[in-house]
């Protein structure tokens, strides 16, 4: 996402604040992290820590974006929602994403969506690395993987 100079004045620089998923979805795009109604600018590869409990918000990494996301005692249960994956890396993204686990974490997708969605068939698809000493329970909705593809992918 490229932003204009006027829009840049509305965006705060990201300083590594811990983001509570209960207060809004987290979307990492090219140069901008959207958290609820706020936007934060970053350079390089963003390092984001997410905590909290929600049944309505999600984490999303846009196409081509590399990111490092720490899940620290996160519970995202979208099984009763019509939102999609609890943690979505856009299909065929060339970005490389590292997820670090701290504590106990739950990612549960809605019907037809993965808990942690990462799939793609195109050349140059980026990687997903999961590391850390924490625990992850990833549960897909109807006909979907816990970690991987959505219904039909």
């Amino acid at each position: 996402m490229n932003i204009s100079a006027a829009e840049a004045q509305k965006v705060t620089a990201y300083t590594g604040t811990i983001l509570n998923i209960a207060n809004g979805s987290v979307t990492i795009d090219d140069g901008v992290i959207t958290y609820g109604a706020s936007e934060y600018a970053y350079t390089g590869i963003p390092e984001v820590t997410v905590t909290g409990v929600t049944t309505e918000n999600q984490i999303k990494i846009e196409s081509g974006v590399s990111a490092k996301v720490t899940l620290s005692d996160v519970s995202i249960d979208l099984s009763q929602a019509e939102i999609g994956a609890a943690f979505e890396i856009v299909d065929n993204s060339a970005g490389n994403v590292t997820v670090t686990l701290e504590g106990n974490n739950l990612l549960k997708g809605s019907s037809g969506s993965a808990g942690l969605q990462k799939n793609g068939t195109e050349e140059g698809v980026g990687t997903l690395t999961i590391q850390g000493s924490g625990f992850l329970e990833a549960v897909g909705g109807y006909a979907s993987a816990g970690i991987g593809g959505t219904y039909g992918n």
Side-chain angles (χ1 to χ4, degrees):
M1 175 175 153
N2 295 319
I3 57 174
S4 69
E7 290 172 320
Q9 293 175 352
K10 300 177 194 174
V11 177
T12 304
Y14 181 69
T15 58
T17 305
I18 295 174
L19 306 176
N20 188 326
I21 196 71
N23 297 328
S25 290
V26 176
T27 301
I28 303 175
D29 204 342
D30 187 20
V32 177
I33 298 168
T34 303
Y35 172 52
S38 300
E39 291 185 330
Y40 300 91
Y42 71 88
T43 57
I45 296 175
E47 296 185 28
V48 176
T49 299
V50 180
T51 190
V53 177
T54 187
T55 57
E56 60 188 16
N57 298 317
Q58 70 180 147
I59 300 168
K60 184 174 184 180
I61 313 293
E62 293 290 356
S63 185
V65 175
S66 292
K68 296 179 180 179
V69 178
T70 298
L71 300 178
S72 182
D73 291 314
V74 169
S75 176
I76 304 174
D77 182 349
L78 303 181
S79 61
Q80 301 302 310
E82 295 295 326
I83 297 172
F87 188 134
E88 176 185 357
I89 302 166
V90 174
D91 289 351
N92 295 308
S93 175
N96 298 314
V97 176
T98 300
V99 176
T100 302
L101 304 174
E102 295 178 353
N104 294 312
N105 300 282
L106 170 68
L107 299 174
K108 199 171 199 180
S110 62
S111 181
S113 297
L116 196 167
Q117 177 183 319
K118 170 66 174 142
N119 57 18
T121 57
E122 295 183 6
E123 187 174 323
V125 171
T127 61
L128 168 63
T129 303
I130 300 173
Q131 63 186 21
S133 59
F135 176 79
L136 174 62
E137 180 181 357
V139 180
Y142 173 77
S144 297
I147 299 173
T150 59
Y151 180 73
N153 289 318

